[in-house]
Amino acid sequence: MTTELNTQWWRDAVIYQIYPRSFADADGDGLGDLPGITARLDHLVELGVDAVWLSPFYPSPQADAGYDVSDYRDVDPLFGRLADFDALVARAHELGLRVIVDLVPNHTSDEHPWFRAALAAGPGSPERERYVFRDEPNDWPSIFGGSAWTRVDDGQWYLHLFDVKQPDLNWDNPAVRAEIADVLRFWLDRGVDGFRVDVAHGLVKTWEPPSDTVDAPPPAVPNGPEPMWDQDGVHEIYRSWRKILDEYPGERILVAEAWVDPVERMARYVRPDEMHQAFNFAYLLAPWRADPVREVINSSIAACRSVGAPTTWVLSNHDVVRHASRFGYAETNNERVGIGVDDPQPDEALGLRRARAATTLMLALPGVAYLYQGEELGLPEHTTLPDEVRQDPTWVRSGHTVRGRDGCRVPIPWTPGGPSYGFGPGEASWLPQPESWDRYALQKQQGVDGSTYELYRQALRLRREYRLGAGTVEWQPDAGTDVVSLRNGSVLVLANLGTEPVALPAGARVLLASGELDADGRVPADTAVWLL
Ligand code: NOJ
């Protein structure tokens, strides 16, 4: 099926991230599932995306919402069965949607049979060699807070760059390499169109000897030059995976989740014989000001072009505060990828206005755009979740100082009212939804002029019609210092990131606008337009 679709689809695709726990609940247990997704795929066709990326649905104790895998070749009963996965892929392909799954190669669950065997077999055994065991820990911190090392009963320590229940695999061990290569084949054989590779910058570590500072604070975002991130040895692994993917018909892709900077380092993951795409987190993190936005667009395009890869653009995912809320802090300019316990509430109206403008700009850029479920509804972060319902291990491991990522993972609203706004027949029991989400429900926005949903839909339709994904950026220098203005083919894009309204060029026709123009037909602050 895949082979019938156009080739090199991944160079200008729009890819929609589904977080299975929170997309749609078919069986009414309060947690989303695969049949729920299959039943709602029509929504994504209506919206106009090309592919979906599914966050993990594999068997897992769910210590990190499924990023702690205990069996790489099955579906957790929470989400359904393998047959449900096959049905999902079949339906998606029937609808012309590609399916990308998450691959979590840096660590397993501590309940994976390999880790259990490693504990049972003891120091010096081949079973322990699949993980990173040491007699003494060093000072590496866990991303979720505290030390990255935990001691086992016989006195050895194991490395976990994330939660204590996520032991890191030892990628120097050929058995680990062989196993994950086989996992790739397992899902490729089932028809997946690609893999989003979790912690792609972390697999290979350069060991550092122990020191006295075991409790060093974790970095805000993991990026080099630390010895556990972005080591050159990772690239050989991706070259070997690329060969596997290339054995399969159609264009199957690898997408790197690699929090590295500068963007030139990111581009190394997408050299011609490695991955196809890497998430552009520099773009996600850029402040809402014209200079840095122009700069990150330029540097990303240049870095990716230097290796012949498409640039990607992303504003939200399941690990960061939703952009409709990040942009709701006027004074801090998009700095809050996490919200601390002492932070004030974001301004919802300002955040939404800027988020709509930011998305309108993003969808005009050439390359690949990633959307995170619910952003097409303008969903804000849930910032008032009661502490007792929080699930993210960050909350506990940070000593209750970082709230964690639950606020962007709340089940999405489909219809107004009901126990879970149409997420399922019952309540969204795994994480409660805010009471104000009636107004964001899909059904309330469908066919409503000016709704965020219709803005996304129109943008995706026009993006396709004007072939913006395959276009180029030509800067328009005269637009003013606070305005990001570029031409992509016949479309002129103008995003006003300043405070004063901006006049349209004479004779311009508005194709798309993220908000209303003012009474004089000018583009107000925090608004973006596409013009002909
Ligand atoms: C990145 C994933 O996106 C995140 O959700 C997860 O906690 C870590 N990797 C560890 O797997």
Side-chain angles (χ1 to χ4, degrees):
M1 218 160 303
T2 310
T3 42
E4 291 163 16
L5 304 170
N6 69 315
T7 55
Q8 301 252 297
W9 62 274
W10 47 273
R11 288 189 171 273
D12 59 2
V14 176
I15 303 179
Y16 182 99
Q17 179 187 359
I18 293 181
Y19 198 63
R21 306 177 137 246
S22 301
F23 190 69
D25 172 20
D27 65 6
D29 67 354
L31 191 89
D33 44 46
L34 299 185
I37 296 171
T38 308
R40 295 279 193 183
L41 286 174
D42 289 351
H43 162 62
L44 303 179
V45 175
E46 268 298 291
L47 182 62
V49 305
D50 302 295
V52 296
W53 145 36
L54 303 171
S55 279
F57 47 78
Y58 315 111
S60 159
Q62 308 290 331
D64 184 20
Y67 282 94
D68 48 320
V69 179
S70 55
D71 179 354
Y72 286 85
R73 296 180 185 80
D74 207 345
V75 172
D76 195 298
L78 284 173
F79 299 113
R81 297 174 314 138
L82 262 180
D84 296 317
F85 178 80
D86 293 340
L88 189 162
V89 173
R91 178 67 184 143
H93 285 169
E94 208 171 270
L95 292 169
L97 294 169
R98 318 267 178 167
V99 180
I100 295 169
V101 295
D102 224 303
L103 179 76
V104 189
N106 181 66
H107 43 264
T108 69
S109 160
D110 66 338
E111 297 182 31
H112 188 285
W114 272 13
F115 194 72
R116 292 200 156 135
L119 291 186
S125 61
E127 287 83 353
R128 281 216 175 171
E129 273 304 302
R130 295 177 186 140
Y131 293 90
V132 185
F133 277 89
R134 294 284 184 273
D135 293 331
E136 263 190 279
N138 62 12
D139 65 354
W140 291 356
S142 152
I143 292 299
F144 293 157
S147 168
W149 296 91
T150 290
R151 192 170 204 169
V152 301
D153 287 349
D154 53 46
Q156 275 207 314
W157 300 73
Y158 69 90
L159 176 70
H160 52 87
L161 290 178
F162 293 89
D163 191 62
V164 60
K165 286 183 69 64
Q166 293 166 294
D168 280 54
L169 285 165
N170 170 17
W171 275 87
D172 292 334
N173 185 336
V176 169
R177 294 188 182 223
E179 170 68 0
I180 299 294
D182 195 63
V183 169
L184 288 175
R185 291 183 190 282
F186 178 86
W187 293 103
L188 289 166
D189 289 339
R190 294 201 103 83
V192 304
D193 299 290
F195 301 89
R196 174 267 188 192
V197 180
D198 190 62
V199 200
H201 57 316
L203 273 48
V204 171
K205 285 94 179 169
T206 301
W207 169 245
E208 279 192 330
S211 81
D212 297 332
T213 53
V214 173
D215 285 329
V221 283
N223 53 19
E226 292 99 329
M228 63 293 245
W229 305 124
D230 199 22
Q231 300 297 297
D232 286 348
V234 295
H235 297 286
E236 178 192 323
I237 300 170
Y238 303 135
R239 278 185 210 112
S240 71
W241 292 2
R242 178 64 180 257
K243 287 197 187 111
I244 296 176
L245 265 70
D246 286 349
E247 288 169 21
Y248 282 79
E251 299 265 329
R252 321 272 181 123
I253 69 164
L254 294 165
V255 186
E257 188 229 11
W259 289 87
V260 298
D261 62 6
V263 283
E264 290 72 27
R265 293 293 296 184
M266 174 192 79
R268 302 175 84 234
Y269 290 77
V270 288
R271 288 177 288 194
D273 56 350
E274 296 192 38
M275 302 218 197
H276 300 73
Q277 304 170 357
F279 292 122
N280 186 350
F281 293 124
Y283 186 70
L284 182 151
L285 296 169
W288 184 243
R289 291 199 310 274
D291 276 343
V293 168
R294 272 190 292 258
E295 154 59 24
V296 74
I297 293 174
N298 263 339
S299 56
S300 315
I301 291 176
C304 290
R305 185 188 292 141
S306 73
V307 290
T311 319
T312 69
W313 312 104
V314 58
L315 288 166
S316 279
N317 64 34
H318 65 295
D319 287 331
V320 296
V321 171
R322 283 183 176 276
H323 67 286
S325 296
R326 290 204 316 276
F327 290 132
Y329 291 99
E331 84 294 1
T332 60
N333 253 316
N334 192 28
E335 277 163 19
R336 287 190 174 90
V337 286
I339 296 187
V341 278
D342 297 326
D343 285 330
Q345 290 297 316
D347 175 336
E348 201 166 322
L350 174 72
L352 181 57
R353 183 178 179 77
R354 287 184 168 178
R356 290 169 53 117
T359 300
T360 301
L361 172 61
M362 176 176 95
L363 291 176
L365 297 174
V368 180
Y370 273 86
L371 305 179
Y372 175 48
Q373 67 176 40
E375 67 167 89
E376 78 277 25
L377 307 175
L379 273 195
E381 185 86 356
H382 187 347
T383 50
T384 54
L385 273 171
D387 289 343
E388 60 277 11
V389 305
R390 292 189 190 287
Q391 314 252 340
D392 185 350
T394 308
W395 173 240
V396 174
R397 290 192 63 88
S398 70
H400 301 162
T401 56
V402 181
R403 287 207 174 105
R405 302 161 293 177
D406 297 310
C408 63
R409 299 176 174 181
V410 174
I412 62 173
W414 295 89
T415 49
S420 58
Y421 307 113
F423 164 66
E427 288 189 359
S429 55
W430 91 272
L431 268 186
Q433 299 154 301
E435 276 170 22
S436 59
W437 276 19
D438 242 8
R439 65 172 176 277
Y440 291 106
L442 171 69
Q443 206 182 62
K444 275 219 157 171
Q445 301 194 38
Q446 278 167 325
V448 176
D449 230 20
S451 71
T452 303
Y453 170 71
E454 292 299 342
L455 172 69
Y456 269 71
R457 217 160 73 87
Q458 210 186 344
L460 293 179
R461 184 176 58 73
L462 293 168
R463 185 179 193 278
R464 198 181 291 247
E465 185 179 328
Y466 288 90
R467 301 186 47 76
L468 300 181
T472 49
V473 165
E474 247 179 87
W475 292 106
Q476 305 295 298
D478 300 332
T481 46
D482 292 335
V483 180
V484 174
S485 180
L486 58 94
R487 178 171 285 287
N488 182 350
S490 54
V491 177
L492 179 65
V493 182
L494 213 141
N496 183 358
L497 281 69
T499 51
E500 298 303 318
V502 173
L504 296 182
R509 177 160 81 80
V510 178
L511 258 188
L512 182 77
S514 70
E516 281 185 14
L517 302 192
D518 73 7
D520 300 322
R522 296 174 302 175
V523 183
D526 298 324
T527 304
V529 291
W530 295 1
L531 308 168
L532 278 186

